[in-house]
Amino acid sequence: MKLAGRVALVTGASQGIGHACALALAREGATIAAAARNREKLDELVAAIAAAGGQAAAFVIDVADEDQIKSGVKQALAQFGKIDILVNNAGIDTIFSVADMTEEAWDEMLDTQLRGTFLCSKYVSAHMVERNKGKIVTTSSVNGFLGGPKQAHYVAAKHGMLGFSKSLAIELAPHGINVNCVCPGAIDTPMSQGIMASKDGEWLGELGALTGPWNLFNPEAMLESEEITQAILWLSSDASDFVTGSALVVDAGFTIK
Ligand code: NAD
């Protein structure tokens, strides 16, 4: 097991990539502090990890709320004694042109994705610095490199995560802490399913016309969350000890066209 004895705090763990990531890290021996806004699904995840012989606990943390982050990190440290790995994964997506985007929609996106990454990293890295050890992995996106119609807020947040992580990586390298991003392409999760099933589904058609296929191996298929968790797992493990400030793209060739 690559992560035996480690403790990982995963945000947005109740579904999608975060849920798969929590399971994958637990399979490699990590104890999981599973965080999201919704307790019910977290309890199911904790039970699944326990049933497989692992250890986990649920922490309700809204990453848009600094007080909840502070107290959630404190509770996780009180329960498990340390945090070796932080996965900043919680996120939302909404579809608005800039002309139609309200300040509230902008703030909700930036507060969840970018401010949440900043604050979770701030409070967890303070503890990691004391131990001179740690791994921070943030789920950015191919939208960390590329623009997209009706996605200016999401794209700004995802670009911001890359810049934030590079800067934090410089600050934390002297403390033995690695800070990296994983950049998924189109992944089959409740987030993407929700968009496809909504009135915004047609937006995906617009996007497809602009970008071409999302998956060069199989244009019909989206990637699964498990493909991303393999990258997060590697960036959380000793195997990537000399990788920092990087953006690992897992997109089935989407961005090379
Ligand atoms: P999802 O909607 O399936 O899951 C999102 C998770 O984040 C849920 O657990 C939800 O409860 C949590 N969350 C949302 N807002 C939160 C908040 N304020 N506080 C705490 N938790 C919150 O989404 P997903 O597709 O699994 O996406 C996970 C991450 O991957 C996101 O950052 C997303 O932007 C990114 N991403 C997704 C795709 C994709 O195609 N699905 C592609 C690239 C990047």
Side-chain angles (χ1 to χ4, degrees):
M1 287 191 180
K2 295 187 187 79
L3 301 177
R6 311 282 164 90
V7 176
L9 171 61
V10 181
T11 70
S14 63
Q15 63 182 35
I17 295 169
H19 185 271
C21 173
L23 289 172
L25 296 180
R27 272 197 298 274
E28 289 297 336
T31 294
I32 305 299
R37 283 184 298 190
N38 181 332
R39 166 138 225 139
E40 186 190 336
K41 287 192 197 165
L42 285 182
D43 286 340
E44 286 168 24
L45 171 66
V46 167
I49 291 172
Q55 199 187 354
F59 299 90
V60 175
I61 301 175
D62 181 340
V63 299
D65 183 323
E66 182 170 13
D67 289 339
Q68 287 193 32
I69 295 172
K70 261 201 239 179
S71 79
V73 169
K74 203 169 155 191
Q75 285 168 39
L77 286 171
Q79 181 152 353
F80 295 130
K82 60 175 185 164
I83 298 173
D84 300 285
I85 299 159
L86 167 65
V87 182
N88 286 311
N89 168 81
I92 54 169
D93 197 6
T94 53
I95 315 297
F96 295 109
S97 66
V98 172
D100 292 334
M101 195 180 298
T102 60
E103 200 178 337
E104 287 73 26
W106 173 272
D107 286 346
E108 185 190 21
M109 180 63 69
L110 273 289
D111 286 354
T112 306
Q113 298 263 14
L114 190 53
R115 189 167 169 274
T117 294
F118 151 54
L119 290 171
C120 290
S121 302
K122 172 176 170 163
Y123 290 110
V124 174
S125 68
H127 155 76
M128 289 173 167
V129 163
E130 286 170 12
R131 299 178 61 235
N132 275 312
K133 188 177 166 57
K135 303 272 186 180
I136 299 176
V137 185
T138 297
T139 313
S140 176
S141 166
V142 290
N143 286 125
F145 306 99
L146 304 174
K150 301 186 180 170
Q151 287 287 274
H153 54 345
Y154 186 85
V155 167
K158 292 305 191 185
H159 274 64
M161 285 173 172
L162 298 186
F164 172 77
S165 297
K166 282 189 231 176
S167 299
L168 186 63
I170 295 169
E171 293 180 18
L172 295 183
H175 301 284
I177 300 165
N178 304 62
V179 185
N180 290 291
C181 287
V182 62
C183 298
I187 316 300
D188 188 7
T189 67
M191 177 187 279
S192 46
Q193 287 160 10
I195 292 171
M196 282 188 287
S198 74
K199 65 175 176 43
D200 295 314
E202 63 197 44
W203 161 81
L204 278 174
E206 273 175 55
L207 194 58
L210 195 67
T211 62
W214 284 92
N215 178 349
L216 297 191
F217 297 103
N218 178 359
E220 303 303 316
M222 292 176 109
L223 301 189
E224 299 295 330
S225 293
E226 286 67 24
E227 314 296 342
I228 307 309
T229 65
Q230 289 308 308
I232 296 175
L233 192 58
W234 183 69
L235 289 171
S236 303
S237 75
D238 297 343
S240 60
D241 270 355
F242 290 94
V243 178
T244 201
S246 78
L248 179 49
V249 177
V250 184
D251 70 348
F254 173 68
T255 49
I256 59 177
K257 291 179 268 116

